[in-house]
Each structure stands twice: as structure tokens, then as C-alpha cells.
Amino acid sequence: MLVEQAIALIANGAPKDQVAERVGDALEAPHKEGVDLNLVRQALDVVERTGPQEASLQEARGLLLRSLDGNLPSAPKAGHLVTGTETGTSVVLDEFRPARGIADSGDAPLFALSLLAIAVGLWLSVRLRPGYSIRELKRRTAADEDGEGRKR
């Protein structure tokens, strides 16, 4: 479980010291069945070495995943229904960080097309507008009727 928690910390952008602490706890845990301790030690060395944090944490994540050999403790058992807070999956995804602004070559043409659609819509609204307004129609109707509501 501690190795899986370390993987989740990496996926959620935790600092190196928190990840190193969790991996160290995994090495000192009393029950170490189902985990390749050599790979966990290598992951701890990778986390503790100096260098860029993101690259070393991703390398450590790969080592930790291999140490479990695909047998994550939180994975649902066959025939066991998922209930409550269980997600029914053992996949730990990276944090989703969408790009902001115009990020690639496809965004600029879409932005230009949306501006063109707005401009064409405004032009059509002025071009196809009737020559009279509702206020003018009400005035004409009131002038056509006498005071009793009958037409002249």
C-alpha cells in the first residue's frame, strides 16, 4: 500500500521529500510481500539524488510500478463489487493540465474562424434588419384606432 501511495503522491505533484518519506516507509514496512525491494531502493535513490524534480520523480514512478509487477493492492478483486469510495480501478493517472491560450497550430485558425463568424453575424443583423421598429408599429396602430378601440 505504501508503494502505491508513493505513486499517487508523484502523480499529484507532491514534493520530493514527501515521496522519499513514503518510499522509505515502504522499505521499513513489516509486510513486504508482492514488492520487489531492489526496485523500491532504486526508486528511493532516484528520488533523493539532486537534479530536476519532474524527471527524477517520473523515473521513480516507473521503478515503483515495476516493483509491484502490476499487482496494485487497491485493484478490485474478481467478483467483488465496487462500492462506496472505491473507484474500481488501480490506474493512477498524471494530473491533467490543459494548455492555456493559443497552444498549438490548430487553435489560431479556430480563433480566427470564431471572430469571422461573429463579424458575419453582426453584419447580417444590420443588413437584414427591417426598416421599422416595434415602437413605430405601435405608434401607427394607435394612430389608426380611435379612442374606443375601433378602426377608423
Side-chain angles (χ1 to χ4, degrees):
M1 286 298 283
L2 292 171
V3 171
E4 187 176 6
Q5 290 174 5
I7 294 168
L9 284 173
I10 293 170
N12 289 309
K16 279 181 149 183
D17 57 340
Q18 281 184 335
V19 175
E21 180 181 347
R22 194 56 50 105
V23 174
D25 291 344
L27 287 171
E28 296 171 3
H31 302 289
K32 300 172 183 153
E33 299 85 26
V35 177
D36 185 352
L37 292 179
N38 290 330
L39 290 174
V40 175
R41 281 189 196 94
Q42 288 176 13
L44 182 60
D45 293 339
V46 167
V47 170
E48 290 178 341
R49 76 177 177 214
T50 58
Q53 177 174 333
E54 187 68 30
S56 64
L57 287 179
Q58 290 306 318
E59 183 181 347
R61 179 182 177 189
L63 288 168
L64 291 172
L65 283 170
R66 282 196 338 218
S67 74
L68 291 172
D69 195 32
N71 299 321
L72 295 176
S74 66
K77 308 297 181 255
H80 179 265
L81 296 177
V82 178
T83 59
T85 59
E86 297 176 16
T87 61
T89 182
S90 59
V91 176
V92 181
L93 299 174
D94 289 331
E95 182 180 0
F96 179 62
R97 295 180 186 168
R100 297 191 180 260
I102 297 177
D104 61 9
S105 61
D107 289 346
L110 286 176
F111 182 69
L113 284 173
S114 65
L115 289 178
L116 178 67
I118 290 170
V120 168
L122 288 173
W123 178 76
L124 286 173
S125 69
V126 171
R127 176 89 170 116
L128 301 177
R129 185 177 67 194
Y132 48 83
S133 66
I134 294 177
R135 185 176 296 154
E136 185 179 336
L137 290 174
K138 285 181 181 179
R139 209 173 327 151
R140 284 184 190 174
T141 305
D144 288 345
E145 295 180 357
D146 60 10
E148 298 174 11
R150 294 180 296 171
K151 292 194 176 200
R152 294 187 210 173

